[in-house]
Amino acid sequence: MKFFKASPERVEQDGDADQLAKEQEIDEPPMEEGSAETRGNWTRQLDFMLSCVGYAVGLGNLWRFPYLCMRNGGGAFLIPYFGFLFLCGVPLFFMELSLGQFSCLSPLEVWKISPLFRGLGWGMVLVSGILSIYYNLIISWVLYYLYSSFSNPLPWASCGNEWNTPYCLVRTHNSSNSSLVTNSSGLNITHKTPSQEFFERKVLNMTDGIGNLGGFNTHLLICLIIAWVIIFLCLFKGVKSSGKVVYVTAICPYIFLFILLIRGTLLDGAWDGIRFYITPQWHKLKSMKVWGEACLQIFYSLGPAWGGLITMSSYNKFKNNMYHDALIVPVINCGTSFFAGFVIFSIIGFMAKEANLPVDKVITEGPGLAFVAYPEALTRLPFSPAWAVMFFVMLLTLGLDSQFGQVETLASGFADSFPHTLGKRKTFFTAFICLIEFLFGLPLVTRGGMYIFQILDWYCAAFSVMVIALLECIVIAWIYKARRLYDEIEMMIGYKPSIWWKICWLCITPSLMIWILIFTAIHYAPPKYGKYIFPKWAISLGWSIAMVSIIPIPIVAIYKFLITPGTPLQVCSLIKFQYKIY
């Protein structure tokens, strides 16, 4: 195999980068800090596959997809969902796996392929950093629920606890469908279930708004510490340690899902919920909103542009067939989402039957599904603590897998950028990252932390991630050149993949990304929590956080442009081909 490196001086003189890239020919690649030989590899290739599955299959598969499928046409929603999987999801997934494996570099360093756009790497790392802060809050909630599940009866099974209000109401078959009652002052007060009051008044102990954070929730603070300790213990040796943990965290959720499905389908009313979930409503396919939400769900579920896929694939052996991985993992991810819907709706159907309510009055999305609706359903089952333990262990393993990829993106990113300083001290640096992320997460475990969580979740992983993904696709396909990436893929797997992926990279996928951005802008609505409306300053804070990962892109580009001598055309040519490996 021949490796070639272009001379920047010659590029500046002649500008013909494709010819000049072959100016210096050597028989072996230069050994540099950050290469596979110095960074290490996955112990087994299955480690990588399971890590990718665990990274992609997260909490959103359980608490978002089933709700979206139900709301957007049931079985009919699968048509746009799987369509966008192969038009947008798999092409981006394949692109990032190829880029990471060929370069053996993290997101910060891989953009040597086009240093003008090195800010994209900083954007990916910052997105992963912000996401890790509030994602571990969810894991903290899970840990507290897991701890509480060892009580019999479950603490959210009934009213009459110290945290309950007079308006707590256990839903029964004879209860009224109306959730409103009138108090002595003539005001309408909404009834809340024991599980809802347990989440809001015991777990979160919420204040009246984001302007009043209150004190720390001690139980959540302890759980947050435990969560970060778990993350560190699983990552302290990098992929060598996390690659072993994923055999548990990536496989266990499927075992628990299967057990819960069997139990759920045996319950009275379960099939009513399942029919409600999968019954096609073909007329809804006429709505562009349905197609937009299908595309968004594919994009967020697979996790491109967060840096995790590039990071994990950078530890692959050079000859690994990442093409097969890029096809198998997204299909497993989407199949898991669909399968999880049966688990969720079988239990929700049972709960609707018990409470004499329509299914759509019971189901909800997001944290409300995982921490309110489903736990309430578990209280109706015999031996409910055992089922609760199983459910929250499943949530814990789902959350840990995704968090592994995000934190490893941070650790590998900086270790590759400063190999002499951090490369041999990566364990200590990983501990330092966990400590910093923990400190940034402290406001989230205050009594007003849920409001901060909503702001972060609404803005961090929305606009900025889509912008990064769009620019990434354009830079690699049009500036670095899709044909060049195809040549590199052929070097790794021994053959060129279907031309379909090149067409997607050049035209289809970036076009869809632009459409997603427009769709998001059109349907933008400020965040809210229940009936609480966030103040304008909180909305501005959210947009500021979203821009944190976008600002490095123009700043780095301007800096590179200013420090490089020559005409604008020469500068672009120099930066474009300053680093190339063939």
Side-chain angles (χ1 to χ4, degrees):
M1 185 187 301
K2 300 289 186 181
F3 288 75
F4 305 96
K5 189 173 181 180
S7 165
E9 293 80 8
R10 182 71 182 280
V11 172
E12 184 177 347
Q13 292 172 6
D14 298 343
D16 190 352
D18 285 328
Q19 293 296 323
L20 296 173
K22 299 182 180 181
E23 179 189 21
Q24 299 174 1
E25 179 176 339
I26 54 179
D27 292 328
E28 296 295 336
M31 279 290 294
E32 299 178 354
E33 294 286 354
S35 65
E37 288 81 356
T38 59
R39 297 170 80 244
N41 296 110
W42 297 100
T43 304
R44 303 176 186 84
Q45 204 51 47
L46 185 59
D47 298 1
F48 168 70
M49 173 70 78
L50 291 177
S51 295
C52 284
V53 170
Y55 178 73
V57 178
L59 296 170
N61 298 72
L62 190 69
W63 74 23
R64 180 164 172 78
F65 174 82
Y67 178 83
L68 285 178
C69 191
M70 178 273 295
R71 189 177 70 183
N72 292 300
F77 182 71
L78 298 178
I79 295 176
Y81 183 71
F82 283 100
F84 286 123
L85 171 66
F86 290 99
L87 292 174
C88 186
V90 175
L92 288 173
F93 203 91
F94 183 29
M95 173 185 286
E96 292 202 353
L97 292 191
S98 304
L99 192 62
Q101 181 171 311
F102 185 79
S103 67
C104 295
L105 293 171
S106 64
L108 278 181
E109 291 299 299
V110 76
W111 290 101
K112 288 178 179 178
I113 62 173
S114 185
L116 189 66
F117 294 94
R118 197 168 182 176
L120 287 172
W122 283 102
M124 291 178 175
V125 169
L126 289 170
V127 164
S128 289
I130 297 172
L131 186 62
S132 297
I133 294 172
Y134 72 86
Y135 205 87
N136 236 25
L137 175 67
I138 303 175
I139 296 178
S140 302
W141 296 342
V142 173
L143 287 172
Y144 186 72
Y145 267 88
L146 181 59
Y147 164 76
S148 302
S149 297
F150 288 95
S151 302
N152 190 18
L154 293 172
W156 58 85
S158 62
C159 301
N161 301 290
E162 60 180 356
W163 57 83
N164 290 127
T165 67
Y167 305 104
C168 175
L169 177 67
V170 178
R171 284 193 282 209
T172 64
H173 187 76
N174 296 322
S175 61
S176 171
N177 288 355
S178 175
S179 62
L180 291 178
V181 295
T182 303
N183 65 4
S184 57
S185 302
L187 298 175
N188 286 334
I189 304 295
T190 304
H191 272 314
K192 292 187 177 181
T193 63
S195 61
Q196 188 174 359
E197 289 203 343
F198 178 80
F199 182 56
E200 294 181 352
R201 298 180 61 83
K202 174 61 175 176
V203 179
L204 302 179
N205 194 17
M206 296 177 63
T207 61
D208 56 357
I210 193 172
N212 178 19
L213 294 182
F216 285 107
N217 287 314
T218 306
H219 55 283
L220 288 184
L221 179 60
I222 295 172
C223 290
L224 185 65
I225 294 173
I226 295 173
W228 278 114
V229 170
I230 293 174
I231 296 298
F232 170 72
L233 292 177
C234 294
L235 290 177
F236 78 104
K237 289 187 177 180
V239 296
K240 296 295 183 182
S241 55
S242 67
K244 295 178 175 61
V245 176
V246 293
Y247 282 88
V248 176
T249 57
I251 295 174
C252 280
Y254 292 95
I255 298 175
F256 293 146
L257 279 173
F258 185 70
I259 295 173
L260 289 170
L261 177 64
I262 294 176
R263 183 66 185 95
T265 54
L266 297 177
L267 298 171
D268 187 26
W271 290 101
D272 294 335
I274 291 175
R275 277 193 295 271
F276 188 86
Y277 170 53
I278 63 174
T279 301
Q281 302 175 46
W282 301 110
H283 66 280
K284 289 196 174 183
L285 293 180
K286 298 177 182 179
S287 171
M288 289 301 295
K289 186 177 181 180
V290 172
W291 293 80
E293 291 196 345
C295 194
L296 281 172
Q297 178 60 17
I298 284 291
F299 179 77
Y300 292 129
S301 181
L302 293 178
W306 292 350
L309 298 176
I310 295 176
T311 298
M312 290 187 291
S313 62
S314 71
Y315 291 98
N316 276 339
K317 294 179 180 178
F318 188 79
K319 290 294 186 179
N320 173 59
N321 192 336
M322 98 298 294
Y323 185 31
H324 289 168
D325 300 335
L327 294 175
I328 293 173
V329 174
V331 172
I332 291 176
N333 172 70
C334 294
T336 303
S337 297
F338 186 58
F339 179 70
F342 288 91
V343 178
I344 295 297
F345 275 87
S346 63
I347 296 291
I348 295 300
F350 160 71
M351 191 166 67
K353 182 85 170 181
E354 286 281 296
N356 194 27
L357 291 170
V359 175
D360 60 349
K361 299 298 183 182
V362 178
I363 186 65
T364 182
E365 67 170 328
L369 176 59
F371 297 104
V372 177
Y374 206 93
E376 180 184 355
L378 293 175
T379 62
R380 314 291 178 92
L381 302 178
F383 310 106
S384 55
W387 294 108
V389 169
M390 183 181 300
F391 176 72
F392 288 110
V393 168
M394 180 185 68
L395 289 187
L396 179 63
T397 54
L398 285 172
L400 287 176
D401 277 338
S402 298
Q403 188 74 324
F404 291 162
Q406 290 154 192
V407 177
E408 183 61 34
T409 298
L410 291 170
S412 295
F414 288 101
D416 286 355
S417 297
F418 306 97
H420 298 291
T421 306
L422 302 176
K424 297 181 180 180
R425 302 178 180 87
K426 191 176 176 183
T427 298
F428 295 101
F429 185 63
T430 301
F432 176 74
I433 287 176
C434 291
L435 175 61
I436 295 300
E437 294 277 285
F438 164 73
L439 294 176
F440 276 117
L442 286 178
L444 293 168
V445 293
T446 61
R447 294 178 58 205
M450 185 60 174
Y451 302 108
I452 302 176
F453 171 84
Q454 292 291 330
I455 290 291
L456 290 174
D457 188 47
W458 197 268
Y459 290 101
C460 170
F463 173 77
S464 55
V465 177
M466 287 185 285
V467 170
I468 292 171
L470 174 61
L471 292 176
E472 176 190 34
C473 191
I474 293 174
V475 170
I476 293 176
W478 289 96
I479 299 179
Y480 185 65
K481 302 294 185 184
R483 59 177 173 78
R484 182 172 295 108
L485 185 58
Y486 256 56
D487 292 339
E488 295 164 353
I489 293 171
E490 184 180 13
M491 289 172 58
M492 292 185 283
I493 67 176
Y495 61 92
K496 287 188 177 181
S498 168
I499 195 174
W500 166 253
W501 309 113
K502 185 186 292 186
I503 296 173
C504 287
W505 294 339
L506 290 169
C507 302
I508 299 176
T509 302
S511 299
L512 285 175
M513 295 303 303
I514 293 173
W515 177 65
I516 292 175
L517 279 171
I518 296 174
F519 171 83
T520 304
I522 293 175
H523 292 90
Y524 167 78
K528 61 180 181 179
Y529 182 79
K531 296 181 179 180
Y532 176 75
I533 304 299
F534 285 87
K536 291 184 179 180
W537 67 265
I539 304 298
S540 300
L541 175 64
W543 280 112
S544 300
I545 295 173
M547 296 305 296
V548 165
S549 56
I550 298 294
I551 291 176
I553 300 174
I555 289 179
V556 172
I558 293 171
Y559 171 74
K560 292 288 184 181
F561 191 85
L562 293 177
I563 66 172
T564 307
T567 66
L569 182 60
Q570 289 172 333
V571 171
C572 290
S573 297
L574 173 63
I575 292 176
K576 177 179 174 181
F577 298 101
Q578 192 176 33
Y579 173 87
K580 289 181 60 175
I581 297 178
Y582 281 78

